[in-house]
Amino acid sequence: KWVGTQESITKLMLPYLDCDKITELKEPLFAERKEDVAYLKSTINLLEKGGCEKSDFYYTLSEQLYQLEPNATAAMSLAKASKTRGDVKKALNYYGQAAKETEGEELYDIYIQMSALSIKNGSYSEGRSYARKALEINEASGEAYILIGDAYASSVRSCGGSALKGREVYWAAVDKYAKARSIDSSVEEKATERINKYSGYFPDKETAFFEGITDGQSYTIGCWIGETTVVRTISN
């Protein structure tokens, strides 16, 4: 009864507690209750509400819970903890484990997280793949199209084999941002900012001329992208 009462009081006090104080209150119980799934779950939930996913205690609890119950909930806790600690490889692994037992909107959210992490880590093709999986669940996801656009825009150096110096990837990126804006009003501001930014990086007319291409012409981008877009240039 006392443990239950203590946990209830701790939750009521949450708005007035920081991560250090929550850990101070809950960590002494860990040694004797590390096999208690209810304790682990309630403490993890409390730390999440306090924004404490970066703490060592949160990670320890999450690992212990996963050992006892290797399910989607435990995997998600470890994925979040690994992400906040900057361990992208582990985060992707645990998100992948969670995805195996998840469906619907929650699965969509997992794929969005995996896409963003992959792109941030420089795995652009993998990031696009996860974004496309998210679109299979929600075809009106502006966020997924923005992530694909980000993957394309980030590939300018790795895809710069011609006189265009990779700047053709910005055509494909802007296409995705425009698509995102057209289907999802919640990302309109984000998409517009990217469109305005990356449109300024289009190849200039002179460079396009020497490449034998002109505005409005169909153009297939090679590299890993493999998409057909339309030539757009800016003034010299």
Side-chain angles (χ1 to χ4, degrees):
K1 287 182 179 180
W2 160 240
V3 171
T5 301
Q6 184 188 48
E7 291 181 352
S8 297
I9 292 173
T10 304
K11 289 178 182 179
L12 290 172
M13 293 172 63
L14 183 60
Y16 312 101
L17 300 176
D18 60 20
C19 295
D20 289 339
K21 182 57 68 175
I22 295 172
T23 301
E24 181 184 327
L25 289 169
K26 303 293 286 187
E27 193 170 26
L29 298 171
F30 178 71
E32 63 182 73
R33 300 190 65 189
K34 62 182 181 180
E35 305 296 322
D36 184 344
V37 171
Y39 158 77
L40 295 172
K41 287 182 177 179
S42 65
T43 306
I44 287 171
N45 183 55
L46 185 63
L47 288 166
E48 286 179 348
K49 288 181 178 177
C52 309
E53 289 95 334
K54 290 184 179 180
S55 73
D56 291 337
F57 184 42
Y58 179 87
Y59 195 79
T60 298
L61 289 165
S62 298
E63 281 195 314
Q64 179 64 14
L65 180 59
Y66 191 74
Q67 291 298 318
L68 296 176
E69 287 190 355
N71 55 31
T73 301
M76 281 294 290
S77 294
L78 272 172
K80 292 175 185 177
S82 299
K83 177 183 174 182
T84 57
R85 292 160 72 97
D87 194 332
V88 174
K89 184 176 180 180
K90 274 192 175 181
L92 286 170
N93 175 60
Y94 286 122
Y95 274 127
Q97 293 299 318
K100 294 176 182 178
E101 301 178 36
T102 311
E103 57 186 19
E105 189 66 24
E106 291 182 357
L107 181 57
Y108 162 82
D109 289 337
I110 289 174
Y111 285 142
I112 289 293
Q113 291 293 331
M114 295 180 78
S115 175
L117 276 173
S118 297
I119 293 167
K120 184 177 180 180
N121 201 43
S123 301
Y124 306 128
S125 179
E126 187 175 282
R128 179 176 67 177
S129 177
Y130 289 128
R132 286 176 170 173
K133 287 179 180 292
L135 285 168
E136 290 176 5
I137 299 171
N138 178 10
E139 62 183 14
S141 169
E143 190 62 41
Y145 279 109
I146 282 180
L147 285 167
I148 296 173
D150 289 348
Y152 290 172
S154 298
S155 299
V156 61
R157 291 186 179 180
S158 58
C159 293
S162 70
L164 297 175
K165 298 180 179 179
R167 287 178 291 173
E168 64 269 28
V169 302
Y170 295 126
W171 296 331
V174 168
D175 291 344
K176 298 305 178 186
Y177 299 140
K179 176 70 173 181
R181 186 171 64 178
S182 71
I183 64 171
D184 188 349
S185 60
S186 70
V187 301
E188 182 175 357
E189 183 177 352
K190 188 188 296 186
T192 299
E193 287 177 355
R194 283 166 165 75
I195 289 170
N196 292 339
K197 175 182 178 180
Y198 292 116
S199 293
Y201 299 157
F202 287 168
D204 59 57
K205 292 183 181 297
E206 183 179 356
T207 301
F209 173 79
F210 284 109
E211 278 291 289
I213 54 177
T214 58
D215 284 278
Q217 181 178 331
S218 179
Y219 186 93
T220 299
I221 300 172
C223 198
W224 69 271
I225 295 174
E227 288 204 13
T228 299
T229 183
V230 175
V231 174
R232 282 147 285 177
T233 62
I234 55 176
S235 299
N236 297 47

